[in-house]
Amino acid sequence: MNWPYLRRGDIAGILFVAVFVGVALFVLLVFPGLGPRENFGFGPEWQCARMEQGDPICVKLVDRDGAK
């Protein structure tokens, strides 16, 4: 089978994609908080715990100063 020779643009495209993927992996590994956070559809006043089997269990946090 005859494979065509890689031209300068082909090599540049391969290098661009490799650098882009490398930078994305580096950012995700160094800054893990930038990824998606789990939010089960509730606001910040809810605390949810993921269970090994089944759905997560969520409880609403109570305001210690008393609700107004």
Side-chain angles (χ1 to χ4, degrees):
M1 178 178 247
N2 293 330
W3 290 93
Y5 292 103
L6 293 178
R7 288 177 265 155
R8 186 180 302 170
D10 298 333
I11 295 173
I14 292 169
L15 287 175
F16 175 76
V17 170
V19 168
F20 181 78
V21 169
V23 168
L25 286 174
F26 175 77
V27 168
L28 289 175
L29 289 174
V30 173
F31 304 107
L34 293 177
R37 290 188 169 82
E38 287 187 11
N39 183 356
F40 299 102
F42 300 105
E45 67 274 2
W46 288 84
Q47 183 178 10
C48 297
R50 182 173 291 282
M51 299 288 108
E52 288 184 24
Q53 296 177 348
D55 293 331
I57 296 176
C58 298
V59 295
K60 188 171 184 176
L61 301 176
V62 177
D63 187 14
R64 293 188 184 262
D65 296 333
K68 292 184 180 184

Coordinates of all heavy atoms in Angstrom, one line a residue:
M1 N 0.8 -1.2 0.0 CA 0.0 0.0 0.0 C 0.9 1.2 0.0 O 1.8 1.3 0.8 CB -0.9 0.0 1.2 CG -1.8 1.2 1.4 SD -2.9 1.0 2.8 CE -4.4 0.9 2.0
N2 N 0.6 2.2 -0.9 CA 1.4 3.4 -1.0 C 0.8 4.5 -0.1 O -0.4 4.9 -0.2 CB 1.4 3.9 -2.4 CG 2.2 2.9 -3.3 OD1 3.1 2.3 -2.8 ND2 1.9 2.9 -4.6
W3 N 1.6 4.9 0.9 CA 1.1 6.0 1.8 C 1.7 7.3 1.3 O 2.8 7.4 0.9 CB 1.6 5.7 3.2 CG 1.0 4.6 3.9 CD1 1.4 3.3 3.9 CD2 -0.2 4.6 4.6 NE1 0.6 2.5 4.6 CE2 -0.5 3.3 5.1 CE3 -1.2 5.6 4.9 CZ2 -1.6 3.0 5.8 CZ3 -2.3 5.3 5.7 CH2 -2.5 4.0 6.1
P4 N 0.8 8.3 1.2 CA 1.3 9.6 0.8 C 2.3 10.2 1.8 O 2.2 10.0 3.0 CB 0.1 10.5 0.6 CG -0.9 9.8 1.5 CD -0.6 8.4 1.6
Y5 N 3.2 11.0 1.3 CA 4.2 11.6 2.2 C 3.5 12.8 3.0 O 2.6 13.4 2.5 CB 5.4 12.2 1.4 CG 6.2 11.2 0.8 CD1 6.2 10.9 -0.6 CD2 7.1 10.4 1.6 CE1 7.0 9.9 -1.1 CE2 7.9 9.5 1.1 CZ 7.9 9.2 -0.3 OH 8.6 8.2 -0.8
L6 N 3.9 12.9 4.2 CA 3.4 14.0 5.0 C 4.0 15.3 4.5 O 5.2 15.5 4.4 CB 3.7 13.8 6.5 CG 3.0 12.6 7.1 CD1 3.5 12.5 8.6 CD2 1.5 12.8 7.1
R7 N 3.1 16.3 4.3 CA 3.6 17.6 4.0 C 3.7 18.5 5.2 O 3.4 18.1 6.3 CB 2.5 18.3 3.0 CG 2.6 17.6 1.6 CD 1.6 18.1 0.7 NE 0.4 17.2 0.8 CZ -0.8 17.6 0.6 NH1 -1.1 18.8 0.2 NH2 -1.8 16.7 0.8
R8 N 4.2 19.7 5.0 CA 4.5 20.6 6.1 C 3.2 20.9 6.9 O 3.2 21.0 8.1 CB 5.2 21.9 5.6 CG 5.6 22.8 6.7 CD 6.2 24.1 6.1 NE 7.4 23.7 5.3 CZ 8.0 24.6 4.5 NH1 7.6 25.8 4.5 NH2 9.0 24.2 3.8
G9 N 2.1 21.1 6.2 CA 0.9 21.5 6.8 C 0.3 20.3 7.6 O -0.3 20.5 8.7
D10 N 0.5 19.1 7.2 CA 0.1 17.9 7.9 C 0.8 17.8 9.2 O 0.2 17.5 10.3 CB 0.3 16.6 7.1 CG -0.5 16.6 5.8 OD1 -1.5 17.2 5.7 OD2 0.0 16.0 4.8
I11 N 2.1 18.0 9.2 CA 2.9 17.9 10.4 C 2.6 19.0 11.3 O 2.5 18.8 12.6 CB 4.4 17.9 10.0 CG1 4.8 16.7 9.2 CG2 5.3 18.0 11.3 CD1 6.2 16.6 8.7
A12 N 2.3 20.2 10.8 CA 1.9 21.3 11.7 C 0.6 21.1 12.4 O 0.4 21.4 13.5 CB 1.9 22.6 10.9
G13 N -0.3 20.5 11.6 CA -1.6 20.1 12.2 C -1.5 19.1 13.3 O -2.2 19.2 14.4
I14 N -0.7 18.1 13.1 CA -0.5 17.0 14.1 C 0.1 17.6 15.3 O -0.3 17.3 16.4 CB 0.3 15.9 13.5 CG1 -0.5 15.1 12.4 CG2 0.8 14.9 14.6 CD1 0.4 14.2 11.6
L15 N 1.1 18.5 15.1 CA 1.8 19.1 16.3 C 0.8 20.0 17.0 O 0.9 20.1 18.3 CB 3.0 19.9 15.8 CG 4.2 19.0 15.4 CD1 5.4 19.9 14.9 CD2 4.7 18.2 16.6
F16 N 0.0 20.8 16.3 CA -0.9 21.7 17.0 C -1.9 20.9 17.8 O -2.2 21.2 19.0 CB -1.7 22.5 15.9 CG -2.8 23.3 16.5 CD1 -2.5 24.5 17.1 CD2 -4.1 23.0 16.4 CE1 -3.5 25.3 17.7 CE2 -5.1 23.7 17.0 CZ -4.8 24.9 17.6
V17 N -2.5 19.8 17.3 CA -3.4 19.0 18.1 C -2.7 18.3 19.3 O -3.2 18.3 20.4 CB -4.0 17.9 17.2 CG1 -4.8 16.9 18.0 CG2 -4.9 18.5 16.2
A18 N -1.5 17.9 19.1 CA -0.7 17.3 20.2 C -0.4 18.3 21.3 O -0.6 18.0 22.5 CB 0.6 16.7 19.7
V19 N -0.1 19.5 20.9 CA 0.2 20.5 21.9 C -1.1 20.9 22.6 O -1.1 21.1 23.9 CB 0.9 21.8 21.3 CG1 0.9 23.0 22.2 CG2 2.3 21.4 20.8
F20 N -2.2 21.0 21.9 CA -3.5 21.4 22.5 C -3.9 20.4 23.5 O -4.3 20.7 24.6 CB -4.5 21.6 21.4 CG -5.9 22.0 21.9 CD1 -6.1 23.3 22.3 CD2 -6.9 21.0 22.1 CE1 -7.4 23.6 22.8 CE2 -8.1 21.4 22.6 CZ -8.4 22.7 22.9
V21 N -3.8 19.1 23.2 CA -4.2 18.0 24.1 C -3.3 18.0 25.3 O -3.7 17.8 26.4 CB -4.2 16.7 23.3 CG1 -4.4 15.5 24.3 CG2 -5.3 16.6 22.3
G22 N -2.0 18.2 25.1 CA -1.0 18.2 26.2 C -1.3 19.4 27.2 O -1.3 19.2 28.4
V23 N -1.6 20.6 26.6 CA -2.0 21.7 27.5 C -3.3 21.4 28.3 O -3.3 21.7 29.5 CB -2.0 23.0 26.7 CG1 -2.6 24.1 27.5 CG2 -0.7 23.4 26.2
A24 N -4.2 20.9 27.6 CA -5.5 20.6 28.3 C -5.3 19.6 29.4 O -5.8 19.7 30.5 CB -6.5 20.1 27.3
L25 N -4.6 18.5 29.2 CA -4.3 17.5 30.2 C -3.5 18.1 31.4 O -3.8 17.9 32.5 CB -3.5 16.3 29.6 CG -4.4 15.4 28.8 CD1 -3.5 14.3 28.1 CD2 -5.5 14.8 29.6
F26 N -2.5 19.0 31.0 CA -1.7 19.6 32.1 C -2.6 20.5 33.0 O -2.5 20.4 34.2 CB -0.6 20.5 31.5 CG 0.2 21.3 32.4 CD1 1.1 20.6 33.2 CD2 -0.1 22.6 32.6 CE1 1.9 21.4 34.1 CE2 0.7 23.3 33.5 CZ 1.6 22.7 34.3
V27 N -3.5 21.3 32.4 CA -4.4 22.2 33.2 C -5.3 21.4 34.0 O -5.5 21.7 35.2 CB -5.1 23.1 32.2 CG1 -6.3 23.8 32.9 CG2 -4.2 24.1 31.6
L28 N -5.9 20.3 33.5 CA -6.8 19.5 34.3 C -6.1 18.7 35.4 O -6.7 18.5 36.5 CB -7.5 18.5 33.4 CG -8.5 19.1 32.4 CD1 -9.1 18.0 31.5 CD2 -9.7 19.8 33.2
L29 N -4.8 18.4 35.2 CA -4.1 17.7 36.3 C -3.6 18.6 37.3 O -3.6 18.3 38.5 CB -2.9 16.9 35.7 CG -3.3 15.7 34.9 CD1 -2.0 15.1 34.2 CD2 -3.9 14.6 35.7
V30 N -3.2 19.8 37.0 CA -2.6 20.8 37.9 C -3.7 21.5 38.7 O -3.6 21.8 39.9 CB -1.7 21.8 37.2 CG1 -1.3 22.9 38.1 CG2 -0.5 21.1 36.6
F31 N -4.8 21.8 38.0 CA -6.0 22.5 38.6 C -7.2 21.6 38.5 O -8.1 21.8 37.7 CB -6.2 23.8 37.9 CG -5.1 24.7 37.8 CD1 -4.4 24.9 36.6 CD2 -4.6 25.4 38.9 CE1 -3.3 25.8 36.5 CE2 -3.5 26.3 38.9 CZ -2.9 26.4 37.7
P32 N -7.3 20.6 39.4 CA -8.5 19.7 39.3 C -9.8 20.4 39.7 O -10.9 19.8 39.3 CB -8.1 18.6 40.4 CG -7.2 19.3 41.3 CD -6.4 20.3 40.5
G33 N -9.8 21.5 40.3 CA -11.1 22.2 40.7 C -11.7 22.9 39.5 O -12.9 23.3 39.6
L34 N -11.1 22.9 38.3 CA -11.6 23.6 37.2 C -12.6 22.7 36.5 O -13.4 23.2 35.7 CB -10.5 24.0 36.2 CG -9.6 25.1 36.7 CD1 -8.5 25.4 35.6 CD2 -10.3 26.4 37.0
G35 N -12.6 21.4 36.7 CA -13.5 20.5 36.1 C -14.9 20.6 36.6 O -15.2 21.4 37.5
P36 N -15.8 19.9 36.0 CA -17.2 20.0 36.5 C -17.4 19.5 37.9 O -16.8 18.5 38.3 CB -18.0 19.2 35.5 CG -17.0 18.2 34.9 CD -15.7 19.0 35.0
R37 N -18.2 20.3 38.7 CA -18.4 19.9 40.1 C -19.8 19.2 40.1 O -20.7 19.5 39.3 CB -18.5 21.1 41.0 CG -17.1 21.7 41.1 CD -17.2 22.8 42.2 NE -15.9 23.2 42.6 CZ -15.1 24.1 42.0 NH1 -15.6 24.6 40.8 NH2 -14.0 24.5 42.4
E38 N -20.0 18.3 41.0 CA -21.2 17.6 41.1 C -22.3 18.5 41.7 O -22.1 19.0 42.8 CB -21.1 16.3 42.0 CG -20.3 15.2 41.3 CD -20.3 13.9 42.1 OE1 -21.1 13.8 43.1 OE2 -19.6 13.0 41.8
N39 N -23.3 18.6 41.0 CA -24.5 19.4 41.5 C -25.7 18.6 41.1 O -26.0 18.4 39.9 CB -24.5 20.8 40.8 CG -25.7 21.6 41.4 OD1 -26.5 21.1 42.2 ND2 -25.8 22.8 41.0
F40 N -26.4 18.1 42.0 CA -27.5 17.2 41.8 C -28.8 18.0 41.5 O -29.9 17.5 41.7 CB -27.7 16.2 42.9 CG -26.5 15.4 43.1 CD1 -25.6 15.6 44.1 CD2 -26.3 14.3 42.3 CE1 -24.5 14.8 44.3 CE2 -25.2 13.5 42.4 CZ -24.3 13.8 43.4
G41 N -28.7 19.3 41.1 CA -29.9 20.1 40.8 C -30.3 20.9 42.0 O -31.4 21.5 41.9
F42 N -29.5 21.0 43.0 CA -29.9 21.8 44.2 C -29.0 22.9 44.4 O -27.9 23.0 43.8 CB -29.9 20.9 45.5 CG -30.8 19.7 45.4 CD1 -30.3 18.4 45.2 CD2 -32.1 19.9 45.6 CE1 -31.1 17.3 45.1 CE2 -33.0 18.8 45.5 CZ -32.5 17.5 45.3
G43 N -29.3 23.9 45.2 CA -28.5 25.0 45.5 C -27.4 24.8 46.5 O -27.3 23.6 47.0
P44 N -26.7 25.8 46.9 CA -25.6 25.6 47.8 C -26.1 25.3 49.3 O -25.3 24.9 50.1 CB -24.9 26.9 47.8 CG -25.9 27.9 47.3 CD -26.8 27.2 46.4
E45 N -27.4 25.5 49.5 CA -27.8 25.1 50.9 C -28.1 23.7 51.1 O -28.6 23.2 52.1 CB -29.1 26.0 51.2 CG -30.3 25.6 50.4 CD -30.4 26.3 49.0 OE1 -29.5 27.1 48.7 OE2 -31.3 26.1 48.3
W46 N -27.9 22.9 50.0 CA -28.0 21.4 50.1 C -26.7 20.7 50.2 O -25.7 21.2 49.6 CB -28.8 20.9 48.9 CG -30.2 21.3 48.9 CD1 -30.8 22.4 48.5 CD2 -31.3 20.4 49.3 NE1 -32.1 22.4 48.6 CE2 -32.5 21.2 49.1 CE3 -31.4 19.2 49.8 CZ2 -33.7 20.7 49.5 CZ3 -32.6 18.7 50.2 CH2 -33.8 19.4 50.0
Q47 N -26.6 19.6 50.9 CA -25.4 18.8 50.9 C -25.8 17.4 50.5 O -26.7 16.8 51.1 CB -24.8 18.8 52.4 CG -23.5 18.0 52.5 CD -23.0 18.1 53.9 OE1 -23.6 18.5 54.8 NE2 -21.8 17.6 54.0
C48 N -25.1 16.9 49.5 CA -25.4 15.6 48.9 C -24.2 14.7 49.1 O -23.0 15.1 49.0 CB -25.7 15.7 47.5 SG -27.2 16.7 47.1
A49 N -24.5 13.4 49.3 CA -23.5 12.4 49.4 C -23.8 11.3 48.4 O -24.9 10.8 48.4 CB -23.4 11.8 50.9
R50 N -22.8 10.9 47.6 CA -23.0 9.9 46.6 C -22.9 8.5 47.3 O -22.0 8.3 48.1 CB -21.9 10.0 45.6 CG -22.1 9.0 44.5 CD -21.1 9.2 43.3 NE -21.4 10.4 42.5 CZ -22.4 10.4 41.6 NH1 -23.2 9.4 41.4 NH2 -22.6 11.5 40.9
M51 N -23.8 7.6 47.0 CA -23.8 6.3 47.5 C -23.2 5.3 46.5 O -23.2 5.6 45.3 CB -25.3 5.9 47.8 CG -26.0 6.7 48.8 SD -25.4 6.5 50.5 CE -24.5 7.9 50.8
E52 N -22.6 4.2 47.0 CA -22.0 3.3 46.1 C -23.1 2.7 45.2 O -22.8 2.5 44.0 CB -21.4 2.1 46.9 CG -20.1 2.6 47.6 CD -19.4 1.4 48.2 OE1 -19.6 0.3 47.8 OE2 -18.7 1.7 49.2
Q53 N -24.2 2.4 45.7 CA -25.3 1.9 44.9 C -26.6 2.7 45.1 O -26.9 3.1 46.2 CB -25.6 0.4 45.3 CG -24.5 -0.5 45.0 CD -24.8 -1.9 45.5 OE1 -25.8 -2.2 46.2 NE2 -24.0 -2.9 45.1
G54 N -27.2 3.1 44.0 CA -28.4 3.9 44.1 C -28.1 5.4 44.0 O -27.1 5.8 43.6
D55 N -29.2 6.1 44.2 CA -29.1 7.6 44.1 C -28.4 8.3 45.2 O -28.3 7.7 46.3 CB -30.6 8.1 44.0 CG -31.3 7.7 42.7 OD1 -30.6 7.5 41.7 OD2 -32.5 7.6 42.7
P56 N -27.9 9.5 45.0 CA -27.3 10.2 46.1 C -28.4 10.6 47.2 O -29.5 10.8 46.9 CB -26.7 11.4 45.5 CG -27.4 11.6 44.2 CD -27.9 10.2 43.8
I57 N -27.9 10.8 48.4 CA -28.8 11.2 49.5 C -28.4 12.7 49.8 O -27.3 13.0 50.0 CB -28.5 10.4 50.8 CG1 -29.0 8.9 50.5 CG2 -29.3 11.0 51.9 CD1 -28.7 8.0 51.6
C58 N -29.5 13.5 49.7 CA -29.3 15.0 49.9 C -30.1 15.4 51.1 O -31.2 15.0 51.3 CB -29.7 15.7 48.6 SG -28.8 15.3 47.2
V59 N -29.5 16.3 51.9 CA -30.2 17.0 53.0 C -30.0 18.5 52.9 O -29.0 19.0 52.4 CB -29.6 16.5 54.4 CG1 -29.9 15.0 54.6 CG2 -28.2 16.7 54.5
K60 N -31.0 19.2 53.3 CA -31.0 20.6 53.3 C -30.4 21.1 54.6 O -30.8 20.7 55.7 CB -32.4 21.2 53.1 CG -32.3 22.7 52.9 CD -33.7 23.2 52.5 CE -33.6 24.7 52.1 NZ -34.9 25.2 51.7
L61 N -29.4 22.0 54.5 CA -28.7 22.5 55.7 C -29.6 23.5 56.4 O -30.2 24.3 55.7 CB -27.4 23.1 55.3 CG -26.4 22.2 54.5 CD1 -25.1 23.0 54.1 CD2 -26.0 21.1 55.4
V62 N -29.6 23.5 57.7 CA -30.4 24.3 58.5 C -29.6 25.6 58.9 O -28.5 25.5 59.3 CB -30.9 23.6 59.7 CG1 -31.8 24.5 60.6 CG2 -31.7 22.4 59.3
D63 N -30.3 26.7 58.8 CA -29.6 28.0 59.2 C -29.6 28.0 60.7 O -30.7 28.0 61.4 CB -30.4 29.2 58.6 CG -29.7 30.5 58.9 OD1 -28.5 30.5 59.2 OD2 -30.3 31.5 58.7
R64 N -28.5 28.1 61.3 CA -28.3 28.1 62.8 C -28.9 29.3 63.4 O -29.3 29.3 64.6 CB -26.9 27.8 63.2 CG -26.4 26.5 62.8 CD -25.0 26.2 63.4 NE -24.5 25.0 62.9 CZ -24.6 23.9 63.6 NH1 -25.1 23.8 64.8 NH2 -24.1 22.7 63.2
D65 N -28.9 30.5 62.7 CA -29.4 31.7 63.3 C -30.9 31.8 63.3 O -31.5 32.6 63.9 CB -28.9 32.9 62.5 CG -27.4 33.0 62.6 OD1 -26.8 32.5 63.6 OD2 -26.7 33.5 61.6
G66 N -31.6 30.8 62.6 CA -33.0 30.8 62.6 C -33.5 31.4 61.3 O -33.0 32.4 60.8
A67 N -34.5 30.8 60.7 CA -35.0 31.3 59.5 C -35.9 32.5 59.7 O -36.6 32.6 60.7 CB -35.8 30.2 58.8
K68 N -35.8 33.5 58.8 CA -36.6 34.7 59.0 C -37.7 34.8 57.9 O -37.6 34.4 56.9 CB -35.7 36.0 58.9 CG -34.8 36.0 60.1 CD -34.0 37.3 60.0 CE -33.0 37.4 61.2 NZ -32.3 38.6 61.2

